[in-house]
Amino acid sequence: MPQAPKNAAGINEKHIGKRQRMTATAASWIGQSIERVEDAALLSGRGRFIDDLGVRPGTLHAAILRSQHAHAAIRAIRADTARQAPGVAVVLTGRDVASLSASLAVGVKAPIECWPIALDRVRYVGEPVAVVVAADRYLAEDALDLIEIDYDPLPAIVDPLAALDPAQPPLHDGLGSNIANDRSFCYGDPERAFSEAARRVSVSIHYPRNSCTPIETYGLIAEYDPGEQAYDVLANFMGPFSLHSVMARALKVPGNRLRLRTPPDSGGSFGIKQGLFPYIVLIAVAARAAGKPVKWIEDRLEHLAASVSATNRATKLDAAVDADGRVRALAWDQIEDVGAHIRAPEPATLYRMHGVLTGAYDIRHVSVRNRVVLTNKTPTGLNRGFGGPQVYYALERLMQRIAVELKLDPIDVIRRNLVPADAFPYRTATGGLLDSGNYAHTVDIALADGGYADLRKRCERARAEGRIYGIGSVAVVEPSVSNMGYITTVLTPQERRRAGPKNGAHATATVALDPLGSVSVHVASVPQGQGHRTVLAQIVADALGLTPADIRVVAELDTGRDAWSIASGNYSSRFAGAVGGAAHLAAMKLKAKLQRIAAAQLNVPVGEIEFAGGRVHARGNPDNAVSFTRVAAASHWSPGTQADGDHALRETVFWTPPELTAPTEDDGINSSLCYGFIFDFCGVEIDRVTGAVRIDKYVTMHDCGRVLHPAMVAGQITGGFAHAVGAALYEEYAYASDGSFLTGTFADYLVPTTMEVPALTILHVETPSPFTPLGAKGVGEGNCMSTPVCLANAVADALGIAEINLPMTPAKLAAHVHPAEGAPRRAQNVPATKPFAGRRLHGSGSADVKAAPEAVWRMLLDPGTLAAIIPGCHGVEKLSDTHFRAAVTLGVGPVSGRYSAEIILSQLVPPKSVTLTGSVTGALGDGRGAGRIALAASEQGGTRISYDYDAEIGGKVASVAGRLLDGATRLVIRQFFEALARHAGGAARTGLFARLRAIFRRRP
Amino acid sequence: MPRLSAEARHRVAFQLNGRPVAAEAEPRMLLTDFLRHTLGMTGTHVGCEHGVCGACTVQIDGVPARACLTLAVQIEGAQVRTVEGLGPEPGRLSVLQEAFRRHHALQCGFCTAGILMSLDYYLRANPDPGEAALREFLGGHLCRCTGYVPILAAALDAARRLREPPPHA
Amino acid sequence: MKPARFDYVRAETLAQVHAVLAAEGGDARVIAGGQTLLPMLSMRLARPKVVVDIMRLPELAEIAGDGENIRIGAAVTQQQLLAWPELARTVPLLAAALPWVGHAQTRSRGTVCGSLAHADPSAEIPLALLALEGTLELSSRRRRRVPAAQFFTGLMSTARADDEMIEAAIFPCRRAGHGYAFQEFGRRHGDFAIVACAAVAHARGIRLAVGGVADRPIARDYSDIDGAALDDALDEFAWQLDARDDLHATASYRRGLVRRLGRATIEEARRCRA
C-alpha cells in the first residue's frame, strides 16, 4: 500500500525509517525520516573509506617519526641505516621537505613559518621529524626504529598564562614573545555600564583541550607527475577548501596542479579531518621524492598525540548586572592556546563566536580582549562546536553565578536577558545578525514539555534524603554557515583594508540530467556520516516531483572537476542551511527549463506546468502529461528544437548569502548566517562514595529552523550530546608540566561508551530561517556548546561551589564532597608526596649493606661496578672521573627498550654523599633525573644507603603507559639498589621494601 | 615443532564466512591487515589497533574478538566471520542490519561492522536481552557519531523481531 | 603501529613450550589470548624474539574442580570461565570480579592465567586470587606451586622465572560460613580500576584485598572488627598502600576510596555470609 508522507511535524515520535513510497498528492519528502541511501553498503562491509580503496601497483607506504620532546633543538639526525633498511625507498627530514615546498601560510600578520615537519627545532610531542617511505607499513616502521636523533631539550611552555610572560623565550624567533596576536574591542559603552551597574559578577575558567576523535583516522594517497608538475591526492580531508590554497602554495604549484579528491565514505570527522592538510603537503612531497604514489594511514597513537583538538582557553568574564539580574555589559578576556604553531585556520576558533559573544541575550555593551598564545602543545584546529564550548562555558557559568550571587532563580535570569521575540532579525552588539526565533516562548515550551517542575521536586526529594543533587540550565544560540570573513576580525581595520575584504561563503550544487532522463546531484560538501546523499535526494525529489530513489547523489569532491570554492567542505554545520539550499536552487533552475520544454510539448503556458509523481502535467489536467524522464532527456536528444538558453542538461548554482558581510570599520562581524536556539536543563546526582556524576535527566530544546530529516536531526543532537558528555566528564588531552603528552591511548583518553551516555529528551520548535533557501539552520554542533556547561551548572548547584573546570572527574568532585584528608589515624611513616605534575616522579628509600661506606663509595665511582649494578647494562664508558655513559636495556614485565644513559656525579663528599644527575634516551622515551645518595656507617660495620630522587619521564612510555610509569621507575631504581646491595655483600633488600613487607605480613 | 620464522611468510588456512581460504602472512601480521589487505575483506575496520574501540571486532570460532589483538597466524584452522558474511545473501540485509537502517543506528558507518559482529553473537546467545545488559555488552565499542541511543533501540528491535518472526516470513 | 618481527611457535606439547622458554628465556613470550601482549607488540613496547602460542594444548584448556579448589588451565578464556555453570556456586568472588575484566569482546580471548602473568596492579583476577589465597602452578622442566602472595612481586613483575610458564591457576572454592564480595571503581566500566576491593568475611574475621593502588594487589587480614576499629584499620591500610597521583586520580582520592569502598565491600561480604 502506498503511504502518503506528511510534512515535518512530530519530531518526538519514534524515528522509524519510512520506505520511499509516495502518491502524486503528497506534499513533501523533506521533513520525513526516510531510510538512508548510504546505509545498505555501510551495513554490509561495502563502504568505501580511504583505506578500503585499492591503490596503484607499486604504491609505497609512509610512516612518520615524531618528536618525543615538547621542546628541543635538533642537533643531528642520523638516517643512513634507515635508508639502507629492507624495502625503504626514501627517508625525508625537515630539510628535505623544505627543499621541495614552502611554509604553510599563517593566519596572523607575523614573520613566522609553519611547516608540516620540524626543521631544526621540535615544538610539541608528536611533531613529525622524519618520514620513511617503504614497501609496506611494517617495513616503514622497522626503519623508523633505525633513525637516531640528537636533541638538546629546551624548557617547555605548557600553561597559556605562562605564555603571556614576556620573560619566556619565544617559541618562534620571528615573534618577540609568545603572544601571537593581541586585539581589544569595544562595542557600546561597557565602561559606563560597569560603573553604573548594581553588581559586578565574574567567572574565571580554564577550558581544557579535547577532541571528538573520529573512529577513522587520517588517511591519504599522494602522487606527483613530474611531466605536468602536478600533484594528485586522494584524502579523507573534510575542508574547508580554503585550505586547498594553503596546500597548493606550500607545494609551490598553481591551484589547478593540486588535484584533491575525497573518497566516497569518511569515518567521522567532527572538524578533526581539517587537520589532515599539513600531512597532505608532507606526503605529497614524499611522493615526489619517492617517485611513486605514497599512502599514509595515521594510527591512533599519532592521532591522539598530533592530529588536532579544540583549543584550551583561559577566560575571565565579567558582567555588569542590575539588581534584578539584567546584564548591562560583558567584559571578555580570552587567552587562546593554539599550541606550537598558528596553523590555518587558527586563530579561527577564537573568532568564530565573535558575533555572538552575548549568546542568546540582549546585551548592548561589550568589551573584548583576545590574546592568542603559543605553547609547546599540538597545534589546534576545528573540533565540533569550534569556539562555542569555550565561549558558552564562560557565559553560562556566569549566568548561573549571577543567579546565585543575586539569589535569583537561574531560569529567571536567563529569561530576563533573552533577545525579545519582536527584535528579529536582531543585530548583536558585536555585529552578529540573529536571523529568527522566539527564545522566551521556546524556553516556556521546554520547561513545560520537558517536565522542569517535576525535576525541581525530584531534586528536593533527593536532597531531603541526603543525596547530592543539582539542576543546571543554559540558553545558547548555535551559529551555522560561517562567514569566510570572520577570521579577518583578528586583523586591525587597517590591516584588513590592506588585505582587501573577505566575506561570504559560497555553497555549490549541480543537478544534472542524463540521456535517459535520470537525475544526478553533485555537491562539494564532503560528508563524514551525516547522510548528505539522502537529504539531497529528498530536496531534489521534492523540486522535481520525483522520489528520492530516482535521484543519485555524488558527494565526494574532486577539485579538478567539480564546482567548488573556498567555503566548500563539511564544517560549521553548513549542510542544511547552505548546501541543501544550493541543491534546491539548482534543482529549481533546472526545473524552470524543464517547464519550458514541457510547456511546448503539452501545449500549455509555462506557468501551468507541474511536476508530481514522476510525471509532468498541466495544472488541473493530469491527463495532459508526459513522463518526467521524457522531458528530462529532451535536451540530450533534440536540442535543435529548443531555444539556446532552454537546454536542460546540467545546472550548477553558487550561492552566497548577502548577510555575510566583511567586518565593519568598528569590528562588527556577522560571523555566521544562521543562529539556532537551544535551551537545555538537566538534573545530576553525585555519588557520595566515589564523587562520580550520574546524569539523571537531560532535556534539550532546539529551534534549528526547518527540519529536513527528523531522525538525522535527532542523530546529530544525540551524537553531539555524547561528545559533550565526554568533554564534560571524561575527556582531556592532558600534558605534563614538561610538555609530555599523557593521553596517548584510548585507555587514557576516555571516550564515553554506552555505559556513560544516558538517553535524553529532545524537543523542537521550528522557526524557519529567512536567510536560507529552505529555511533550515545547522544543528550539528549545538549540544557540544550547551551540554558541558549545563552539566557544570548542575554540578555547581549540587555541590554549592563557584568554580569548576572540565572534565569534572570523580577525584575533582570528591574533594568537594569529603573533608580534606587528615593525618593518618595511627602514627606511621607517611610517604612523602608531591602534587601531581604529570611525569615528574619522586621517590626515596634506603638499603642496608655489609660493606663499609668507603667500599660502597668506591663501587659507585667504578665503571666496572656500575656496569654490574645498573639494570640491563651492556657496558659503561668512563668519559671522566665523574661522567659515565652506558647502554642499558630497561624493562618492566614484557615492556623493554634499549636506552643510552649518561650519568654525572657531582657534590661529592667522600664517602658520605654524592648527587647523581642522569638522563636516558631511547625509542620508548626519555628521562632525566637527579638523585642524592647518602652513605652512613651502620652498627655492624656495614652501610646504610639512603636515596632520594626526582625524575621526569617523557616520550612514548609517558603517552601510552602513564598509569604505570611511576611504578616502573620505582622498580628500576629499586633494581639498581638491590644490585648495589648484592654487590656490596648485603642482604639484597632495600629498607623501603623491607618495611613494606613487614607492613603487609599477614597478622596472626 | 612448527616454528615460523620471523622474516618469512607462512601459509594460514582457515574458514572465512563459511568458506575455506588460505593466504600467506609473516608471524607479526595482524589479523586486521591480513583480512583487509591480503584477503581484500575491507568491511572490518581499524580504529585504534590497541583493542579499545572495537571497530575491528569479528567473530572467531563463534565469539566476538578484536581482530587487531589477533595475529593472522593464530587463526590457522579457525572459523572467522566478518561483516561481509552477515547478510543472508548478496544485496539483502539481516534482521539486525535492517534494524540498524530503520533506527538510523549508524552515521559514518566506520564502527558499525564491529558492533554488528558483536550484536550478532549476543542476540544469538541472549534472545531477550535487557537494556542494562545490552548497554554493558556494547560498552566494548566506541561510536562517535550516534550517541548510542539509536544503536540500543535497533538492537532491542532486532532482538524482538528475531524472537517473533513476522507472520509472512 | 605494527609489531616488530618475531618468530612464532605453535606449540603442540608442553615440552615444546618448555624447550623454547629454556632456550630463549626472557626473549620469548608466551601468547595465550594475546589481549595484553598484542597492544604491547603493536606499540613496540615489547619486542620478543619468539612468541609461543599455547592455545592448542588441550591439557591447558580445562577447568577442573575437586570440591576444595578449581584449577583453571592456562588456555581457559575469561569468557569460558564466566560461562562455566559451576562458577557462581564454587567461586562466587571470581564470578563477581570477572565481569569487570575488560569487555565481553576481550574476555572472549583473554585468558585467566594471562591476566595473572601480566600482573597489572589494577587487574581484577590477580586481586581475586590474592584475596582467596590461591596458587599458581608454574612449569618448566620442573614444576612448582607459588602462593599468590609470593607470586606478585611488583609492578607487572612476578615470581615466574624466564624459563617458566604458568600452567594453571588454582582458586580455593567457597567455604561454608564465608561471605565474598567484590567492588570496583574506574572512570568508565571496563577501565583499569582506580580502586578495586575484594573481601572475604568469615567467623574469625575478614580479609580485604585492594588493587589499583599499590604496585600490586595487597591483602590484609583483620579480626572481626567493626565501627571505629575498622575505620582505623582501613585508614592505616589506605596510607600503607603508598598511593600515587596519576592522570585519573590523586593519591588522596585513592586513599579515600580504599576507606569507603573497602568498608562497603567488607559489609557486603558480611551480608553474603549471613
Side-chain angles (χ1 to χ4, degrees), chain B residues 1-7 26-28 30 33 48-52 57 60 63-66 68-71 73-76 118 121 136-142, chain C residues 1-10 12 16 20 24 31-35 38-39 41-44 49-51 53 56 79 99 103-106 108-109 188-189:
Chain B
M1 153 176 69
R3 178 164 179 149
L4 314 185
S5 73
E7 285 82 12
E26 277 186 24
R28 65 168 163 173
L30 303 173
D33 289 328
C48 75
E49 285 185 301
H50 55 277
V52 182
T57 304
I60 302 177
V63 293
R66 309 288 206 219
C68 79
L69 298 187
T70 309
L71 299 170
V73 290
Q74 283 179 286
I75 58 151
E76 170 71 32
S118 267
Y121 156 84
E136 184 169 336
F137 175 77
L138 283 171
H141 289 274
L142 299 181
Chain C
M1 206 177 146
K2 310 293 182 191
R5 278 181 168 144
F6 50 78
D7 286 359
Y8 171 82
V9 173
R10 194 175 288 132
E12 288 155 352
Q16 288 174 349
V20 175
E24 313 274 356
I31 189 168
Q35 302 299 288
L38 255 292
L41 293 175
S42 287
M43 293 178 197
R44 300 193 179 206
K49 280 189 189 146
V50 54
V51 166
D53 186 345
R56 317 251 161 181
Q79 176 54 40
H103 296 282
Q105 295 84 353
T106 59
S108 59
R109 285 179 72 78
R188 299 171 306 178
H189 187 81

Side-chain angles (χ1 to χ4, degrees), chain A residues 141 690 751 821 956 1002, chain C residues 1 43 188 221 253 259:
Chain A
E141 292 194 18
T690 63
V751 170
E821 188 179 36
K956 192 177 197 171
R1002 197 119 37 86
Chain C
M1 206 177 146
M43 293 178 197
R188 299 171 306 178
D221 289 277
Y253 176 74
R259 296 181 198 103

Side-chain angles (χ1 to χ4, degrees), chain A residues 137-139 141-142 145 299 301 688-690 692 729-730 734 742-743 745-748 750-751 753 755-756 809-811 814 818 821-826 828 830-831 834-836 842 892-896 924 956-957 960 963-964 966-968 970-971 974 993 996 999-1000 1002-1003, chain C residues 1-5 29 37 40 42-47 103 118 120-122 133 153-157 185 187-189 191-192 207 215-216 218-221 228-229 231-233 235-237 239-253 255-257 259-261:
Chain A
R137 176 68 180 240
Y138 289 78
L139 293 170
E141 292 194 18
D142 290 347
D145 287 346
D299 70 34
L301 303 191
R688 223 172 246 293
V689 171
T690 63
L729 303 178
Y730 300 99
L742 303 178
T743 43
T745 72
F746 268 155
D748 280 316
L750 305 180
V751 170
T753 73
M755 296 294 280
E756 286 77 40
T809 62
H818 300 284
E821 188 179 36
R825 289 166 178 237
R826 291 179 190 160
Q828 58 178 288
V830 176
K834 290 184 176 179
F836 181 58
H842 174 81
V892 176
V895 177
S896 75
L924 296 187
K956 192 177 197 171
V957 284
V960 303
R963 184 175 64 88
L964 303 172
D966 195 325
R970 280 186 282 164
L971 190 68
R974 178 181 120 199
F993 281 83
L996 282 175
I999 288 162
F1000 299 134
R1002 197 119 37 86
R1003 293 173 175 197
Chain C
M1 206 177 146
K2 310 293 182 191
R5 278 181 168 144
R29 281 282 142 199
L37 184 61
M40 291 184 165
S42 287
M43 293 178 197
R44 300 193 179 206
L45 295 171
R47 312 182 65 136
H103 296 282
H118 185 56
D120 188 293
S122 289
E133 301 176 76
T153 56
L155 182 93
M156 289 160 64
S157 303
F185 182 70
R187 292 286 302 280
R188 299 171 306 178
H189 187 81
D191 277 341
F192 295 109
R207 177 173 171 86
D215 60 353
R216 72 197 100 163
I218 304 284
R220 297 284 299 274
D221 289 277
D231 285 343
D232 285 355
D235 183 72
E236 186 180 43
F237 192 13
W239 281 102
Q240 287 165 348
L241 287 170
D242 196 20
R244 297 287 171 130
D245 292 348
D246 70 11
L247 184 63
H248 299 297
T250 58
S252 170
Y253 176 74
R255 284 191 292 271
L257 267 190
R259 296 181 198 103
R260 297 189 292 274
L261 210 58

